[in-house]
Every structure is written in structure tokens, then in C-alpha cells.
């Protein structure tokens, strides 16, 4: 049995070819939009609907195998890095996204002044700025 099959079963999910293909794409890294995930899955399986990919990603998110992020003004993206409460930095120029480890190193990283009675377990922070490539282009444009 492959690691992907074991991982799906461990999380209470049936093993299917689309699930294995999506898992393989996600574990390749990055913060991928659904269209890109579907494109890469189709390379592996020849035929799979975008709706099937959405269904798999929904199941993965609920099971804790994938994390959905949706930076303002951007379509939803998915990643396989889960369970560590990391954050993201987004380039305002090109939209590139990178992971940022927890600011403090303990969950939930940030504690609000008033939690309103909630038992906090996660904080989601998005940092915004310009990536090195966009900074270089901006400097070149102003020179």
C-alpha cells in the first residue's frame, strides 16, 4: 500500500484515483488554485472534472489533509501544509505567496485583547508586500 493510500485511510477517506492524484499534486508544494490543481491532475488521470477536484479538495480540507487560503482579491488556493498554524505573505505585484512560520512559535501565535469567550486554537495572518522580483522591476521602472 502506498503512502498516499495510507494517508487517505488514516484520515477516514476512501482511496480513489482522483483523491490520490490531487494528494500527489498538493504534496508537490505551493499554494495552488483549483484550475492549476485540475490541470495537473488531468496530466495524471487524463480525465477528471473540475467539480470532482473541488469535491476532493473539500473532503481534504474537512479531513485536515489540505488547507484553503483566500487572500483578499484572489481566488481560493490550497496547500498540503496543515496543522502548524503558519501564515502567508502575498506579493501585491505578481500575487506570489510564501509561507511564514508562526510569529511566536506557539498556537495560536497571536492572542487578541478580548477573545469574547472563545477557546482559541488558530490565528490566520496575511502579510502583504512586494516580492524581490517585483521590487527589482519597480526600481527598474523608476530609473
Amino acid at each position: 500500500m502506498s503512502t498516499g493510500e495510507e494517508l487517505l485511510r488514516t484520515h477516514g477517506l476512501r482511496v480513489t484515483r482522483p483523491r490520490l492524484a490531487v494528494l500527489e499534486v498538493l504534496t508537490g508544494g505551493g499554494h495552488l488554485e483549483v484550475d492549476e490543481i485540475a490541470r495537473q491532475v488531468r496530466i495524471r488521470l487524463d480525465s477528471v472534472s473540475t467539480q470532482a477536484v473541488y469535491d476532493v479538495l473539500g473532503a481534504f480540507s474537512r479531513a485536515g489533509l489540505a488547507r484553503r487560503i483566500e487572500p483578499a482579491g484572489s481566488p481560493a488556493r490550497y496547500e498540503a501544509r496543515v496543522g502548524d498554524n503558519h501564515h502567508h505573505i502575498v506579493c501585491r505585484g505578481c500575487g506570489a505567496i510564501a509561507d511564514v512560520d508562526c510569529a511566536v512559535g506557539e498556537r495560536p501565535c497571536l492572542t487578541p485583547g478580548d477573545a469574547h469567550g472563545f477557546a482559541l486554537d488558530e490565528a490566520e495572518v496575511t502579510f502583504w508586500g512586494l516580492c524581490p522580483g517585483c521590487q527589482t522591476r519597480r526600481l527598474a521602472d523608476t530609473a
Side-chain angles (χ1 to χ4, degrees):
M1 180 165 44
S2 75
T3 304
E5 291 173 354
E6 292 170 357
L7 192 58
L8 291 175
R9 286 190 176 110
T10 299
H11 284 83
L13 298 172
R14 285 184 308 109
V15 175
T16 65
R17 291 181 65 232
R19 285 180 176 173
L20 289 171
V22 170
L23 185 61
E24 183 180 342
V25 170
L26 286 178
T27 56
H31 304 88
L32 304 172
E33 294 180 26
V34 173
D35 289 341
E36 176 61 18
I37 295 168
R39 186 189 69 73
Q40 290 188 40
V41 167
R42 287 185 188 111
I43 291 169
R44 291 160 171 80
L45 297 182
D46 292 328
S47 177
V48 67
S49 71
T50 303
Q51 184 59 52
V53 172
Y54 272 108
D55 293 345
V56 169
L57 290 168
F60 282 9
S61 295
R62 288 186 300 277
L65 283 174
R67 181 174 177 191
R68 176 189 164 128
I69 63 167
E70 197 166 348
S74 174
R77 296 172 184 248
Y78 292 85
E79 64 179 333
R81 185 175 170 186
V82 295
D84 66 351
N85 200 151
H86 70 279
H87 308 299
H88 298 95
I89 188 162
V90 181
C91 179
R92 291 185 188 278
C94 67
I97 300 175
D99 291 332
V100 177
D101 288 331
C102 192
V104 175
E106 56 185 69
R107 294 178 71 168
C109 300
L110 303 172
T111 305
D114 183 356
H116 301 279
F118 284 70
L120 301 176
D121 61 11
E122 183 176 359
E124 187 172 315
V125 176
T126 303
F127 299 95
W128 295 87
L130 288 177
C131 70
C134 287
Q135 291 175 53
T136 301
R137 282 189 287 285
R138 180 173 277 181
L139 287 174
D141 289 345
T142 60

